[in-house]
């Protein structure tokens, strides 16, 4: 009776955690390829619960093509026990065709033979943070008045290209144009 009560409380705790978080939860069965995506996970991407079947192929189709290889590599590193947890940042396509940046975290469970059985984790929408980071980089590299690259950015690119030209022996050209009375 105590074991049943404990299991009920644990299930209740799990359900409350699922309902109380803004993260999307996923649970991947490594043996069958089946994946459980929580309703919140699907909602975060603009899908209704019934619109996405629970399989790994759906996740692979939603991850941005430029990010898929690194996202899968992060999974492999964790499944090989090279990392204590799975963690990756990548873009996922939403129902409307746009992309959201996702922070994916998870943890695997292995059987006695060392084979992965399942991995459970969460996806957090980090799109706002990524936009802020992009804006900070842009501001650091561009002039506020003109929107053109600034001296520091230009210098770093110039130094890089000069070093590359020296190391490869390939010619390099740089031109400067002065715009009369621009400062005034």
């Amino acid at each position: 009776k105590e074991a049943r009560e404990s299991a009920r409380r644990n299930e209740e705790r799990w359900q409350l955690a699922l309902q109380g978080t803004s993260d999307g939860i996923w649970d991947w069965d490594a043996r069958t390829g089946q994946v459980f995506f929580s309703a919140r996970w699907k909602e975060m991407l603009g899908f209704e619960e019934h619109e996405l079947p629970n399989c790994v192929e759906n996740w692979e189709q939603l991850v941005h093509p430029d990010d898929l290889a690194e996202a899968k590599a992060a999974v492999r590193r964790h499944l090989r026990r090279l990392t204590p947890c799975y963690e990756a940042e990548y873009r996922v396509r939403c129902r409307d065709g746009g992309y959201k940046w996702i922070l994916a975290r998870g943890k695997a469970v292995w059987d006695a033979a060392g084979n992965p059985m399942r991995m459970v984790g969460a996806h957090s929408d980090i799109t706002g943070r990524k936009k802020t980071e992009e804006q900070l980089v842009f501001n650091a590299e561009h002039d506020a008045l003109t929107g053109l690259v600034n001296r520091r950015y230009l210098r770093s690119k110039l130094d890089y290209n000069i070093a590359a030209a020296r190391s490869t022996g390939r010619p390099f050209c740089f031109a400067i144009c002065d715009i009369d009375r621009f400062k005034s």
Side-chain angles (χ1 to χ4, degrees):
K1 191 172 182 179
E2 277 183 36
R4 278 196 305 266
E5 180 60 23
S6 178
R8 187 194 63 75
R9 270 189 257 139
N10 285 339
E11 177 63 23
E12 185 178 88
R13 186 178 300 120
W14 165 248
Q15 289 302 321
L16 285 170
L18 276 177
Q19 294 167 10
T21 183
S22 62
D23 292 352
I25 306 299
W26 52 269
D27 182 351
W28 172 53
D29 185 328
R31 295 167 295 184
T32 66
Q34 287 293 109
V35 180
F36 163 77
F37 298 114
S38 70
R40 175 65 189 127
W41 188 93
K42 295 174 183 180
E43 177 188 312
M44 195 166 52
L45 302 177
F47 291 98
E48 297 291 327
E49 190 158 359
H50 67 278
E51 291 183 293
L52 286 176
N54 292 330
C55 61
V56 172
E57 292 77 21
N58 280 327
W59 173 78
E60 290 176 347
Q61 291 172 1
L62 293 174
V63 175
H64 193 285
D66 293 345
D67 302 338
L68 183 59
E70 181 51 38
K72 290 171 96 174
V75 170
R76 283 191 303 274
R77 284 191 298 272
H78 180 58
L79 294 179
R80 291 184 189 139
R81 298 184 180 195
L82 300 174
T83 59
C85 296
Y86 161 65
E87 188 169 318
E89 293 182 4
Y90 49 86
R91 292 163 288 180
V92 179
R93 189 178 70 248
C94 299
R95 187 170 189 263
D96 66 6
Y99 283 88
K100 285 189 177 186
W101 276 98
I102 298 296
L103 168 60
R105 291 183 174 148
K107 182 85 171 147
V109 177
W110 294 268
D111 63 17
N115 300 311
M117 296 186 336
R118 75 190 281 198
M119 192 158 85
V120 178
H123 283 174
S124 303
D125 181 352
I126 59 168
T127 305
R129 188 194 89 198
K130 284 293 199 177
K131 286 182 179 178
T132 300
E133 288 173 2
E134 289 171 6
Q135 187 63 50
L136 288 171
V137 169
F138 183 86
N139 291 347
E141 297 175 345
H142 292 77
D143 178 75
L145 176 62
T146 64
L148 299 172
V149 293
N150 62 23
R151 182 177 298 196
R152 188 174 75 216
Y153 177 81
L154 180 62
R155 186 66 203 199
S156 71
K157 290 297 182 187
L158 184 59
D159 290 345
Y160 173 81
N161 283 290
I162 289 171
R166 284 184 179 143
S167 68
T168 63
R170 296 174 67 188
F172 173 70
C173 179
F174 179 70
I176 297 175
C177 298
D178 185 17
I179 301 172
D180 288 340
R181 294 182 296 284
F182 176 74
K183 289 183 180 179
S184 62

